[in-house]
Amino acid sequence: MSSRRASRRRTTLALLTAATVVTALSACATGEPAPPPGDTPSVTSFAPLFGGSATVPAPNLGGSAPGSLVSVKPLEGNEQLEDVDARVERVVYRSTSGVDGSRTEVSGVIAIPPGTPPPGGWPVIAFGHGTTGVLDKCAPSDFSTLVGNGSMMASMIQSGFAVTLPDFQGLGVRGYLNPFLDGATYGNNMIDSVRAARNLDPTGVSTNWTAFGHSLGGLAAWGAADRDAAYGGGLSLKGTMAMAPPADMSGLADKAQAGTLTGDQRVALIFALQSLSWTNPTLDLNRYRTPSLASKWNLLLDCTAPLDEVLKTRETVTNADLKPDTQADTDRLRTLLEQWAVPKNPVTGPMLLMFGTKDELVDWQWTQAAADKACRIGGFIEIDKRMGEGHGDLESDRGLPWLKDRIAGQTANNTCPPRT
């Protein structure tokens, strides 16, 4: 392996695409069964898990406002975060559905650096994780490994950031459904995770924050920037980095009709159809899947099933299994996916958008079209299109330095064409 390739492997975000969700979660589950889905933790201790740290105040528990803490419990066993002496809590906090505006509860992880915070508190990175599934047992915070996200969080901690890792609505808290690919819901969840961090450490966490994510997490980061003006009051979003985001996946409908979906896109469509059926009770899944696929559906959604069984089942799914019955069904699917897409509003602050031309999950033309739309409606965006790179192998070297520059107030590049 060349040194460049080895460096890329080391620095690429350890996040999950729709094609690899079961791999990571099943690897965790083999040695550590998930707790009961939606199990709400109770407060047991607010002391850090390491010695010699600064005294931390008790968190602000209770309340009904977005970001209010419902529960807090130390998360133990993540070696990467323990190695950097981070204070790590598994929290449940209040948020808002982007689908219907209802109040929700979302779980996640908050990690705070050791020692004395800088004046104004630790700046925050809201870190959007990749796809882990759509069921309530698919939450990264239900696993001490955090499904491979601990290493990147540790790097952020060492760079002087507090870090939030929201599970996203419907993952980790029973009673709520996951709206897969809904940028508004994920954006609200990201913003409220920062509020939750401030409630966890009222004096040590800053109002200054950034959003960062890859794949589904890239959509969440973009969604946060899209929602910030309307929803992010009281916080100061300094910058957003979205890598390979599935910003607008409405093109899946026409590719399903044409029979040209990639393997990664078939998995993503299965997750999307399930979520859409939850939020649209009149949507008949059987108009979008064959009886053969319906018989495998539950296994394909199960993020903790044996890995080899799921992978073998995925190999049996064909494009013919996911062809909408009629053109009207295709049109409805496209419309529903468009409703969840970003952008809807101008992004707050600068955004770095990275994507590759060999992406097998998100066609690069879809991302380019979303970027062009964002520029037209008033975005301040640096568009970094990587020739020959795919979904999971984007160079991420720019990530932390770029975010640190935003916190420092340095000017970002804007490659959007001038508005006339």
Side-chain angles (χ1 to χ4, degrees):
M1 179 182 296
S2 68
S3 59
R4 175 178 173 82
R5 176 61 64 180
S7 174
R8 175 179 298 177
R9 290 294 177 85
R10 287 193 298 269
T11 57
T12 298
L13 296 179
L15 299 172
L16 304 179
T17 68
T20 59
V21 48
V22 180
T23 304
L25 266 181
S26 295
C28 295
T30 54
E32 179 183 358
D39 183 32
T40 302
S42 59
V43 177
T44 57
S45 171
F46 305 123
L49 301 179
F50 48 89
S53 67
T55 301
V56 294
N60 290 328
L61 280 166
S64 59
S68 297
L69 290 171
V70 177
S71 61
V72 179
K73 182 178 181 180
L75 186 140
E76 302 180 12
N78 187 276
E79 295 181 0
Q80 293 91 350
L81 292 175
E82 290 179 354
D83 283 346
V84 296
D85 281 349
R87 176 190 177 193
V88 189
E89 309 281 358
R90 202 259 190 189
V91 303
V92 175
Y93 61 92
R94 301 195 187 281
S95 193
T96 307
S97 166
V99 176
D100 59 13
S102 61
R103 294 182 178 183
T104 60
E105 294 181 4
V106 176
S107 57
V109 173
I110 298 173
I112 299 177
T116 303
W122 302 107
V124 183
I125 293 178
F127 181 20
H129 66 79
T131 300
T132 55
V134 295
L135 305 180
D136 58 14
K137 62 182 177 179
C138 299
S141 72
D142 278 343
F143 302 89
S144 64
T145 60
L146 300 180
V147 198
N149 292 299
S151 178
M152 192 66 194
M153 292 178 69
S155 296
M156 295 170 179
I157 289 286
Q158 290 181 308
S159 294
F161 289 93
V163 185
T164 68
L165 183 75
D167 289 326
F168 303 139
Q169 178 187 310
L171 310 181
V173 180
R174 184 173 296 167
Y176 301 96
L177 300 174
N178 177 254
F180 184 68
L181 298 178
D182 178 30
T185 296
Y186 293 166
N188 290 347
N189 296 167
M190 293 276 276
I191 292 168
D192 289 330
S193 73
V194 181
R195 293 184 171 124
R198 285 182 46 75
N199 284 323
L200 179 67
D201 190 347
T203 61
V205 174
S206 174
T207 57
N208 294 330
W209 71 289
T210 60
F212 185 27
H214 175 268
S215 192
L216 191 70
L219 169 62
W222 193 338
D226 190 274
R227 293 285 299 147
D228 183 66
Y231 190 77
L235 303 173
S236 182
L237 178 60
K238 299 300 185 181
T240 300
M241 184 172 177
M243 298 181 64
D248 184 346
M249 296 292 279
S250 58
L252 288 174
D254 294 302
K255 292 193 75 170
Q257 180 67 40
T260 56
L261 296 166
T262 67
D264 289 358
Q265 289 171 345
R266 287 193 290 270
V267 176
L269 182 54
I270 289 169
F271 289 168
L273 284 169
Q274 182 61 58
S275 284
L276 289 170
S277 72
W278 285 331
T279 55
N280 299 272
T282 63
L283 185 74
D284 183 359
L285 284 176
N286 292 323
R287 300 189 67 82
Y288 298 91
R289 64 185 184 183
T290 61
S292 174
L293 181 56
S295 69
K296 310 167 187 174
W297 198 257
N298 289 341
L299 177 59
L300 291 168
L301 295 177
D302 192 339
C303 53
T304 58
L307 174 60
D308 56 350
E309 185 178 357
V310 175
L311 292 180
K312 288 179 181 178
T313 303
R314 284 185 182 180
E315 291 174 358
T316 68
V317 179
T318 68
N319 283 334
D321 288 318
L322 283 163
K323 184 179 176 67
D325 281 356
T326 67
Q327 185 61 49
D329 294 319
T330 301
D331 294 342
R332 185 181 186 192
L333 176 58
R334 185 191 314 108
T335 297
L336 291 174
L337 290 171
E338 285 173 346
Q339 291 172 357
W340 285 358
V342 294
K344 294 291 192 298
N345 309 289
V347 297
T348 298
M351 183 168 79
L352 173 59
L353 172 63
M354 296 178 60
F355 60 100
T357 60
K358 296 294 185 181
D359 197 318
E360 290 292 308
L361 176 60
V362 188
D363 287 7
W364 73 264
Q365 295 91 339
W366 300 349
T367 310
Q368 184 68 61
D372 293 343
K373 181 179 179 181
C375 288
R376 289 195 301 272
I377 64 177
F380 188 98
I381 304 170
E382 179 183 352
I383 302 169
D384 186 357
K385 181 167 67 175
R386 299 298 185 91
M387 304 304 295
E389 295 187 21
H391 191 79
D393 64 347
L394 286 175
E395 292 277 10
S396 61
D397 294 1
R398 296 189 63 189
L400 283 173
W402 191 89
L403 295 173
K404 291 174 71 175
D405 286 347
R406 304 291 74 75
I407 292 295
Q410 297 188 23
T411 302
N413 292 328
N414 180 17
T415 58
C416 283
R419 299 179 70 192
T420 58

